[in-house]
Amino acid sequence: MTIALSIIILCTVIALGKLLGRCKIFGISLGVTWILFVGIVFSHFGYVLDPGLLHFVKELGLIFFVYSIGMQVGPSFFSSFRKGGVTLNLLAVLLVLCGVGVTALLIKLTGIEAPVMVGVMSGAVTNTPGLGAAQQSYADATGGDPSGIALGYAVAYPLGVVGAILSFILLKFLFSKSSLSNHSAPSSAESVDALTERIEQDALAHGRKFVHRKIIISKRKLNGKRLGSLEFEKIIGASITRIRRSGIEIMANADTILQMGDVVTVVGAEQSVAAMEKILGNSVKKLDEPNLIAFFAGIAAGCALGSIPIHFPGIPQPVKLGLAGGPLIVAILLGYFGPRFKVVTYTTTSANLMIREIGISLFLACVGLEAGTGFVDTIVNKGGLIWIAYGAIITIVPLLICGLIGRFFMKLGYNTLIGVLAGASTNPPALAFAGEQDKNSDEAAVGYATVYPLTMFLRVLCAQLMILMMV
């Protein structure tokens, strides 16, 4: 097959998959995962790529995807463990471990091959980097064909999305209406409203016009700074109340860590807000020049780190972070520590999203083209339909268990709770549903953003460890 024809097949699969991803059924969309299913259809009818080319493009796409995720979550990775973040991350870790436990139990009870069930687990929690890590670990450990893992992922993914949303609905019915709110401190929305009202009254008392304005942080020296340490309200008379970061809007508080590229809402007198604009930068031009040196050097370092064998007692094969774990860890570390060493790692939200979308699109297209030849046979003749039921169990049971623990033992409000559960499942459609439950606050988004970095790392690691311990 010529290079031109290979590119035509690959790009057609991605284009059709993205087009179908816009379709919603009962308000739910599988999004980019449609690329996987289109690739399966193409492969089933004989449109396949050269195995060597397919493998290279798949791994390159995975690297771009996980690296861009690491760059996004890196600056806030360690700060997410402060104060209430510890409790939320503990619940997220428990959800990951529950999912692993349920998967291991199903492997023992059903006799299904461990690699296939790990693929089902990755699909059940909609975690594509986990799929990539499992496939690579299996290939490294056995030299065998990892397509069975992709088949498990493909059949479990749709119900992974739907099952999470159904679990949230069931949890809502399990709680009485009066118990859905937090019993602890006032919500961040209430605190921000009170702060805004106080600043507005102060501005009016001094005969100054009260305004609120969105400003982009473009000054390097503010990257990684804790908002409370800057004392903007005390010194300038204006305050940051909201921050939009990577498509998620969160309430600002004293412990919020600022990042370059944050779009912040500033409130105060007109003169004070103008002064804040000078301090924060508000220069889009400075943010439009990505540092490709740091990007590709980081990927090279991540691939090198992922190739180092790590020996653990009781595990016959050495563990490697691989092409999913290595770049992810390096990206997180660069995103967090880079500014301290004058390394510019920032990329605009649109640039990061472009890299991520290209990466995941290439990866899923290749996974589909690789696995499609055996998909129908697996579903019809090899018990693939029952995998869907197993995936539903892996999705729903841990969510319900951790949902009840989060509510009755950790006393979390419903919106915060389902945000945490969506983040621990690395499930964007579930986050969209959670956000629609209360459009007057961002409790769900804050919960999602707090646990997502650690969860993503654990999902990748657990998928690898399960493969190495069970094959």
Side-chain angles (χ1 to χ4, degrees), residues 440-454:
N440 295 323
S441 76
D442 64 347
E443 293 173 356
V446 171
Y448 184 97
T450 300
V451 304
Y452 183 86
L454 177 63

Side-chain angles (χ1 to χ4, degrees), residues 340-380:
R340 304 185 183 189
F341 296 96
K342 308 301 181 183
V343 177
V344 178
T345 58
Y346 171 79
T347 58
T348 63
T349 301
S350 58
N352 183 281
L353 182 60
M354 175 65 79
I355 295 170
R356 190 188 321 172
E357 287 295 302
I358 289 175
I360 190 64
S361 297
L362 290 173
F363 175 76
L364 288 176
C366 292
V367 169
L369 291 169
E370 185 178 55
T373 52
F375 186 79
V376 174
D377 182 58
T378 298
I379 295 295
V380 176

Side-chain angles (χ1 to χ4, degrees), residues 13-251:
V13 167
I14 293 172
L16 289 176
K18 292 294 290 183
L19 182 63
L20 290 172
R22 298 179 179 179
C23 302
K24 292 184 178 182
I25 302 175
F26 300 109
I28 300 172
S29 170
L30 297 181
V32 72
T33 311
W34 272 110
I35 296 174
L36 172 66
F37 296 114
V38 173
I40 288 174
V41 172
F42 269 59
S43 181
H44 176 72
F45 288 103
Y47 294 96
V48 295
L49 273 63
D50 175 78
L53 176 63
L54 196 67
H55 180 73
F56 172 78
V57 174
K58 181 180 73 172
E59 299 299 342
L60 182 63
L62 177 64
I63 291 169
F64 277 17
F65 176 59
V66 297
Y67 192 83
S68 62
I69 288 177
M71 293 303 297
Q72 175 197 350
V73 304
S76 58
F77 184 82
F78 296 101
S79 61
S80 66
F81 301 108
R82 296 176 182 172
K83 294 188 176 180
V86 173
T87 300
L88 301 186
N89 276 286
L90 282 175
L91 183 62
V93 171
L94 180 61
L95 181 65
V96 174
L97 295 179
C98 279
V100 171
V102 170
T103 304
L105 182 62
L106 287 173
I107 291 172
K108 186 174 182 180
L109 294 177
T110 64
I112 293 178
E113 295 179 352
V116 169
M117 195 61 80
V118 172
V120 171
M121 180 187 73
S122 296
V125 297
T126 67
N127 190 265
T128 308
L131 165 65
Q135 285 189 307
Q136 187 184 33
S137 294
Y138 182 80
D140 290 344
T142 67
D145 180 10
S147 60
I149 301 175
L151 292 174
Y153 174 93
V155 299
Y157 189 100
L159 209 56
V161 175
V162 177
I165 295 174
L166 291 177
S167 299
F168 295 167
I169 295 173
L170 182 57
L171 285 172
K172 191 170 186 177
F173 279 108
L174 290 175
F175 303 156
S176 65
K177 188 173 181 180
S178 61
S179 70
L180 291 180
S181 59
N182 284 318
H183 294 311
S184 56
S187 70
S188 55
E190 294 172 334
S191 302
V192 169
D193 289 341
L195 173 63
T196 303
E197 183 178 358
R198 187 177 77 246
I199 296 174
E200 182 175 10
Q201 289 176 348
D202 180 67
L204 292 174
H206 291 82
R208 293 175 293 183
K209 184 180 179 181
F210 174 84
V211 298
H212 60 86
R213 186 176 303 158
K214 294 187 181 298
I215 300 174
I216 299 175
I217 297 179
S218 60
K219 293 286 185 70
R220 290 188 189 180
K221 62 182 180 181
L222 296 176
N223 193 38
K225 293 286 187 180
R226 190 171 64 87
L227 181 57
S229 68
L230 300 173
E231 298 184 327
F232 286 139
E233 184 184 0
K234 179 180 177 181
I235 299 173
I236 300 177
S239 290
I240 294 174
T241 58
R242 292 175 180 269
I243 298 175
R244 186 164 186 81
R245 177 183 300 162
S246 301
I248 298 176
E249 190 168 88
I250 59 177
M251 299 292 182

Side-chain angles (χ1 to χ4, degrees), residues 241-314:
T241 58
R242 292 175 180 269
I243 298 175
R244 186 164 186 81
R245 177 183 300 162
S246 301
I248 298 176
E249 190 168 88
I250 59 177
M251 299 292 182
N253 58 55
D255 292 321
T256 301
I257 304 298
L258 299 179
Q259 300 178 24
M260 283 185 66
D262 283 347
V263 179
V264 300
T265 300
V266 180
V267 299
E270 191 168 16
Q271 299 90 331
S272 299
V273 172
M276 280 282 283
E277 185 174 0
K278 294 180 180 179
I279 293 174
L280 300 178
N282 203 30
S283 174
V284 177
K285 185 177 180 180
K286 288 185 178 180
L287 300 175
D288 284 341
E289 300 175 1
N291 186 359
L292 293 181
I293 297 176
F295 179 80
F296 285 106
I299 288 178
C303 292
L305 177 64
S307 302
I308 299 175
I310 305 172
H311 295 271
F312 287 100

